[in-house]
Amino acid sequence: MKVIKFGGSSLASSTQIDKVIQIVQSDANRKFVVVSAPGKRTAEDKKVTDLLIELYQALLVDRSTKEIIKKIYQRYEEIAQAYPNQDTVLHEILQDLTKLNDLKIEDNPYYLDAILATGENCNAKLIASILSAQGTPAKYINPKDLGIVVTSEPQNAQVIRQSYNKIYQWRDSEEILVIPGFFGYTAEGDICTFSRGGSDVTGAIVAAGIKADIYENFTDVNGIYAAHPGFVHQPETIDEITYREMRELAYAGFSVFHEEALMPSFQAKIPVVIKNTNNPDHPGTLITTKRTNWEKPVVGIASDQGFSMIYLSKYLMNREVGFTLRVLEILRDFNLNYEHMPSGIDDLSIILRARQLTPELEEELLRKIAYEIDPDELRITHDLSLVVVVGEGMKHRVGSMAESTAALARKNINLEMINQGSSEVSIMFGIHKDREQEAIRSLYYTFFD
Ligand code: ASP
């Protein structure tokens, strides 16, 4: 039993949908199809979800919505016209879009959610209808009927565990079920969406609910690259990766897959495969709980910018009970989230996302640390990039740290911070942002080819 999810670019035009139909029809185990809203056809194009945001903005200021609804409708119409017998579903789509004009705005925290969800909802109806017309019996199912119950957090819903038992009851459905991604229903019956890109999350929830053997996530790349293709020329795609490795890579800037989508399938121990709609024969990247191939110590190298680091040292710090706690309490008082906190016997570095700081807040924060902690040295560094070398295989091999630091030293890159947790899944380096690309390249060519 397979759950299969198609992203917006795979559903952007009838040419793409022809490939989707082929993929669904080529394997009888592909019984649950989760769809995004139509995405971009070209780089300049707009996603239907972004058009719906424009519609929302027009509705807020009471501007006419005629043109924008027409534009959205035409996206579905253009696709539908390539297939026979789509008039009924097109009529329904136009009705669904027009009804958005009558949604209640006042005291409705889910107003935007209801508008956004329409992109996926209409697309699921259309894909089910097209599949049926192509001789593959398929049925649209609403997430409420399927059983996706979520928390009441507009545009940031989380699935509620009880959903899984309800979804399981659909396991033996005769027809293929086409499910709109991106939203569920609160216990009170309101539409509530996941965060942007959240159709991945729906796919993972359905896979966990029906206890699928695999969750296939179809996108427009061959899989997850071992390094950013903007930094490294034609990087390798990763063939197999563990959930823990994937989490580390996703944290440090890899965004092929929605971060939260890993959770339901991870908890249910369901493997996920990322595949390419435009190249379905490529095996893609398999995300598993346990890797079978330990040949490569490192699976990927990622990086992210926009960090600042507060450094403080105090002689005999290690003897002071509650030292770190006091520092963390100050951060909490300023409502600051920290990302990492590597420490030595007498010093501590706190790495945080720079976007949380303003010059005034930074000054006040440092003043408070200086006053309450009385460190011997206190300073803050900005423009930091974090570069992460990821691979559970490093546990089984001596020298990965030495090779990594040597790769950076060869390029004369200064290391402002090194952090390796005892789990040995990753090694993290803090470097100046201007050296990030060079660092990635040097590390990539050390561990790959
Ligand atoms: N259509 C939504 C978005 O653009 C969700 C998704 O595509 O996964 O964010």
Side-chain angles (χ1 to χ4, degrees):
M1 185 84 75
K2 295 177 178 178
V3 170
I4 179 165
K5 182 251 160 182
F6 293 98
S9 61
S10 305
L11 301 161
S13 64
S14 58
T15 321
Q16 288 303 90
I17 291 175
D18 282 343
K19 297 176 194 169
V20 166
I21 296 170
Q22 273 268 314
I23 293 169
V24 174
Q25 290 180 339
S26 67
D27 185 339
N29 295 320
R30 291 177 169 146
K31 297 286 280 187
F32 295 82
V33 180
V34 176
V35 298
S36 283
K40 293 181 178 196
R41 290 158 295 186
T42 59
E44 299 75 41
D45 201 11
K46 283 190 183 153
K47 290 170 143 200
V48 163
T49 308
D50 292 322
L51 293 174
L52 287 163
I53 292 177
E54 287 179 21
L55 172 66
Y56 161 76
Q57 284 158 349
L59 283 164
L60 279 190
V61 295
D62 224 358
R63 219 176 42 231
S64 161
T65 55
K66 212 165 146 222
E67 280 309 306
I68 181 81
I69 288 189
K70 190 168 155 207
K71 216 161 155 186
I72 300 170
Y73 174 71
Q74 279 172 344
R75 291 294 313 267
Y76 296 102
E77 190 184 37
E78 188 193 294
I79 294 168
Q81 277 169 349
Y83 305 95
N85 308 331
Q86 300 306 316
D87 292 348
T88 314
V89 70
L90 269 180
H91 181 68
E92 198 177 326
I93 288 172
L94 186 58
Q95 270 188 333
D96 286 356
L97 290 170
T98 316
K99 266 195 251 157
L100 294 177
N101 284 319
D102 308 327
L103 271 179
K104 178 172 165 281
I105 301 192
E106 298 84 28
D107 302 323
N108 180 3
Y110 306 103
Y111 184 61
L112 176 58
D113 300 60
I115 295 174
L116 291 178
T118 311
E120 292 19 50
N121 205 41
C122 290
N123 214 22
K125 290 180 182 175
L126 180 60
I127 301 297
S129 164
I130 293 174
L131 275 169
S132 301
Q134 298 300 109
T136 303
K139 186 172 105 181
Y140 154 83
I141 180 162
N142 184 279
K144 192 186 219 165
D145 299 329
L146 187 74
I148 304 185
V149 185
V150 297
T151 56
S152 305
E153 296 170 83
Q155 295 123 64
N156 193 30
Q158 314 287 318
V159 65
I160 288 176
R161 286 197 75 84
Q162 290 87 306
S163 303
Y164 297 124
N165 285 341
K166 228 178 137 194
I167 297 169
Y168 185 77
Q169 291 165 15
W170 290 94
R171 197 181 141 91
D172 297 321
S173 160
E174 285 286 304
E175 298 154 297
I176 289 177
L177 295 183
V178 184
I179 304 149
F182 194 33
F183 68 99
Y185 282 78
T186 65
E188 290 73 40
D190 291 298
I191 288 182
C192 192
T193 69
F194 304 115
S195 55
R196 285 296 304 263
S199 298
D200 283 342
V201 181
T202 304
I205 294 169
V206 177
I210 63 143
K211 300 197 190 335
D213 297 306
I214 193 158
Y215 167 27
E216 296 179 312
N217 189 292
F218 275 80
T219 161
D220 52 7
V221 285
N222 279 342
I224 297 165
Y225 292 118
H228 193 298
F231 298 168
V232 172
H233 180 62
Q234 295 186 343
E236 282 182 18
T237 42
I238 302 170
D239 47 11
E240 197 184 29
I241 185 170
T242 65
Y243 274 100
R244 293 189 64 181
E245 291 168 332
M246 185 61 211
R247 168 89 186 101
E248 300 268 342
L249 285 178
Y251 168 78
F254 274 54
S255 60
V256 184
F257 200 49
H258 194 296
E259 236 191 324
E260 286 167 37
L262 289 178
M263 197 59 178
S265 39
F266 169 71
Q267 283 173 335
K269 296 194 170 57
I270 294 169
V272 178
V273 65
I274 313 273
K275 283 178 73 86
N276 190 351
T277 303
N278 304 314
N279 187 11
D281 294 332
H282 190 287
T285 298
L286 183 69
I287 309 172
T288 64
T289 43
K290 216 171 160 58
R291 198 132 59 90
T292 48
N293 173 4
W294 290 108
E295 220 174 273
K296 286 190 190 138
V298 171
V299 293
I301 295 151
S303 61
D304 202 7
Q305 296 198 349
F307 294 93
S308 295
M309 178 167 72
I310 300 168
Y311 172 83
L312 53 105
S313 77
K314 190 169 187 184
Y315 194 64
L316 294 185
M317 174 186 111
N318 64 333
R319 300 259 188 94
E320 271 187 50
V321 175
F323 183 91
T324 317
L325 179 64
R326 276 187 290 139
V327 177
L328 292 181
E329 275 170 350
I330 297 177
L331 289 182
R332 186 201 53 201
D333 294 345
F334 280 82
N335 203 15
L336 290 170
N337 225 330
Y338 76 93
E339 303 287 319
H340 306 280
M341 196 168 50
S343 64
I345 35 173
D346 280 345
D347 57 13
L348 193 68
S349 301
I350 302 155
I351 295 172
L352 17 84
R353 297 252 177 208
R355 61 170 178 254
Q356 302 181 90
L357 297 170
T358 59
E360 299 77 44
L361 192 130
E362 179 180 321
E363 206 184 306
E364 233 186 289
L365 173 71
L366 293 183
R367 200 172 321 122
K368 181 130 189 207
I369 296 177
Y371 179 73
E372 289 198 9
I373 310 285
D374 192 23
D376 300 330
E377 203 183 335
L378 173 65
R379 61 170 188 269
I380 182 159
T381 320
H382 296 295
D383 294 331
L384 205 66
S385 278
L386 295 183
V387 174
V388 193
V389 178
V390 178
E392 288 201 51
M394 292 193 288
K395 275 192 284 231
H396 308 292
R397 184 164 171 275
V398 176
S400 310
M401 173 68 95
E403 282 176 58
S404 305
T405 49
L408 298 172
R410 269 199 302 280
K411 298 287 170 193
N412 210 12
I413 295 172
N414 184 37
L415 303 179
E416 314 233 9
M417 185 278 297
I418 302 183
N419 193 10
Q420 182 183 30
S422 47
S423 66
E424 287 186 70
V425 180
S426 69
I427 306 174
M428 181 177 284
F429 299 103
I431 59 169
H432 192 275
K433 72 173 187 349
D434 292 347
R435 310 301 304 275
E436 181 181 335
Q437 298 204 11
E438 242 179 306
I440 294 276
R441 275 195 286 273
S442 187
L443 288 165
Y444 179 83
Y445 292 115
T446 299
F447 291 105
F448 299 86
D449 261 351

